[in-house]
Amino acid sequence: MTFFFYVVGILLLTLGISFTIQSDLGTSPFDALLVGLANHVGFTVGTWEIIIALIVIGCNSFLKKQKPEILGLLTACITGISIDMWLILLENLFIPELWYSKVIYFGIGLIAIELGTALYLHTNIAPIPVDRLTLIIQELTRTNLFYSRTFIYLIFLLMALIIKGPIGVGTLLIVCLSGLILNYFMSFTRKVLDHV
């Protein structure tokens, strides 16, 4: 049952990422970095997810002063493949062109990202290295998820600006709201999954 929620969480998270990319209103700073790298350097968005994950695993290992969490790379690989899969499927189904359809796409994406993240994190099976970094910073600074998530997003926002990733009004909304929504879904999924 735990593995089921892990897979559902990853699929929801990556579907949400793909929705925000397709909305063309701006993605999370991390995803903007991935899309920027894919557009200007080459490879797919999912491939860059895996490459950046390797770098972040090294950072996490340094911050925690412990062996690298190689299992996190497995999650990053599943995530990368899933992002590319959803992007291909969504591109073949429907690309929003009118402003309200873009807003709907973005809204669905934002909720799916945070719900998916909360679901798969709650299973405690190998978090994506960036999410592990969020938890490490939360632990080191003794703050809540909102502050650690926002701090990480600001770093990736600067990197995405440099690489000319898809930064837009949606990016600002994600930076401002992501931590709050994730905080809510973490407590919500904990209650639901503990009950299940």
Side-chain angles (χ1 to χ4, degrees):
M1 194 59 127
T2 303
F3 189 72
F4 170 77
F5 285 117
Y6 168 78
V7 171
V8 169
I10 294 288
L11 288 174
L12 257 178
L13 162 66
T14 52
L15 177 63
I17 290 168
S18 303
F19 264 99
T20 59
I21 291 171
Q22 294 283 12
S23 76
D24 203 29
L25 293 176
T27 64
S28 79
F30 181 68
D31 298 324
L33 175 63
L34 300 181
V35 174
L37 287 166
N39 289 341
H40 299 291
V41 180
F43 303 121
T44 64
V45 176
T47 303
W48 280 110
E49 166 82 32
I50 297 163
I51 293 168
I52 299 293
L54 273 169
I55 297 166
V56 177
I57 284 171
C59 292
N60 292 349
S61 174
F62 174 76
L63 287 171
K64 288 290 281 184
K65 296 180 176 66
Q66 62 187 30
K67 287 181 183 175
E69 290 182 24
I70 301 303
L71 266 180
L73 188 58
L74 172 69
T75 305
C77 288
I78 296 168
T79 304
I81 291 165
S82 299
I83 290 170
D84 287 344
M85 174 195 76
W86 285 124
L87 283 173
I88 291 166
L89 286 172
L90 288 176
E91 203 170 298
N92 290 329
L93 288 175
F94 175 73
I95 295 178
E97 291 177 9
L98 299 170
W99 70 268
Y100 61 83
S101 57
K102 291 182 177 198
V103 169
I104 290 168
Y105 249 55
F106 179 82
I108 291 169
L110 179 58
I111 298 299
I113 287 169
E114 304 312 331
L115 179 58
T117 301
L119 254 180
Y120 101 83
L121 279 180
H122 190 74
T123 64
N124 219 16
I125 300 174
I128 295 169
V130 171
D131 289 331
R132 171 63 80 199
L133 181 59
T134 303
L135 297 173
I136 290 170
I137 289 173
Q138 178 195 13
E139 185 185 314
L140 291 174
T141 58
R142 295 192 173 102
T143 56
N144 66 23
L145 278 173
F146 171 72
Y147 293 110
S148 57
R149 184 85 156 188
T150 304
F151 173 73
I152 288 170
Y153 271 170
L154 288 172
I155 290 169
F156 282 120
L157 181 61
L158 288 172
M159 293 167 75
L161 284 167
I162 293 165
I163 200 76
K164 294 184 173 69
I167 305 291
V169 67
T171 308
L172 295 175
L173 285 171
I174 290 174
V175 169
C176 295
L177 300 175
S178 176
L180 291 171
I181 297 170
L182 180 60
N183 228 21
Y184 168 77
F185 278 133
M186 284 295 277
S187 58
F188 172 76
T189 53
R190 188 176 295 114
K191 287 174 193 168
V192 171
L193 295 182
D194 285 349
H195 183 71
V196 170

